[in-house]
Amino acid sequence: MRSVGTVLALVVLATVVATFARRWRIPAPSLLVVAGLTVALLPGTPQIAISPQIIGLVVLPPLLYASAEDMPWRELRAVWKPVGILAIGLVLASAAAVGAVAVFVTPLPWQMAFVLGAVLASTDPVAVTALGRRLALPPRVQVLVQAESLFNDATSLVLVRVAAGIAVASAAAGWGPAGGQFFLLAGGGTVIGAAVAGVITLIRRRTEDPVLETVIALVTPYAAYLLAEVAHTSGVTSCVVAGVVLGGRGDRLTNARIRLQLHAVYGTVVFLLESVVFSLIGLALPAQVRALAHGDRAWPLYALAVAATLIAVRLLWLAPLSAVVQRKGGISRLNWRIPVVLTWAGTRGVMPLAAALSIPEVMKDGTPLEGRPLVLVLTTSVVVVTLVVQGFTLAPVVHASGIALEPAHTAREEAQARSHLAHAGLARLEELAELEVVSAVVLDRLRRGLAARLEDARDRLAESDGADGTATESADLVYRQLRRDLIAVETTELQRLYDEHRISDTTRRRLQRSLDLEEARLTDV
């Protein structure tokens, strides 16, 4: 970027476009890419060059961490086998297929063709999470897509390093050490990410300062990423592991007020970074095209061929895998809609672009690396194609497939959970009434509030606080203390419902946030 003014203009553009995307209920990444590309084609627009340091060190860690924090442990444990198959097998198959197609279709030498295949082999967690945020996919399908995109990067990055090493060294490097390099990157990143999560857990359990908690939360992804990179392991894997571990413990590490503050701060950071990075993808493409040689002007056809190859390989890989999983699950009539949705949800985004930008510019003998500009253009254009075409059509594909959860299903699940929480609170009140340690006025006030919540849950209406402002100041104090005690009981009941697979992680998070909001209001009074 040339100046602070350019950065500020980019932030404003991205924020405005993302805001309209939310209002129009269309995928923000897709609209941001289109907006960036449109602005870049306007006369007088300054040339934008994306720095790999900005993408790798500034943008990726918090976005990866935020995506990993949303990963529910329960569903992740249920899909770890297919995730492992996709994260390794599908990445290798995609890289080989794209490399072979690029050798025959494009003017790239075979070394750079396989660099291109390695770069585009993995789906992108940032794009997948952003696109799937508003889709009502079944929990396991959503987690499968998201987990695959989070854990397949280690395989892709190993392929990129090996393929780039071969290209830079004029085939002097070999593929033999690839397995050891994969375990070093993925295994080392896993260990460092888990260690960072353990240290952060110990620190957060010993502090209740909202400012300090916020700083720790913002620093955590960068610490995990940088420590792993310094140790020559995978910063992406480290960041993902730290996010998954801490995300599963987040409700136990802090109080309601801090959780709400962290949610607001991180939501803002993720919104800004996602908005800027997807705009940058569209803005950077015209400048990359201008840097191409005259012999590479057929790049749009090359990009379409590569994108079609990625989709075809993904579908051919997922169809038999889905059939095996469904057979083992006792399903006699196979559902073809699931592999179609999983295929269409496999978009590319920030990670392939960061990997392409990391490719060296010169060979070991100092000569420019042949084909690098075309690899950058094809990577960016394939990212644009997948984000625009698949992004804008993913919701219709999901709805046409019939696997999306109906709004009534989610509302019914939430209403049932609220009913269970209200019953747990009423049972606790009856215990207190039998002990006769609380005045009847306070007990009646709390009982009426829970009864109102129970009635609202039965009717699937909005939450009602049932507050009564006639109590004395002393009674108010007792009321707030007892209500916080009841919120703790309801939180325990909420976790029990989740552990027993009676509610989804989405419902658990929504109701936990509702309890946090009420507890924060009680503290503010």
Side-chain angles (χ1 to χ4, degrees), residues 76-95:
L76 181 58
R77 288 196 298 267
V79 299
W80 70 269
K81 287 184 179 179
V83 166
I85 294 173
L86 295 176
I88 299 177
L90 180 54
V91 169
L92 294 173
S94 298

Side-chain angles (χ1 to χ4, degrees), residues 57-67 218 221-222 239 266 269-270 273:
L57 298 179
V58 178
V59 175
L60 271 182
L63 294 182
L64 290 170
Y65 182 81
S67 299
L218 291 174
Y222 293 106
C239 200
Y266 235 95
V269 171
V270 170
L273 290 179

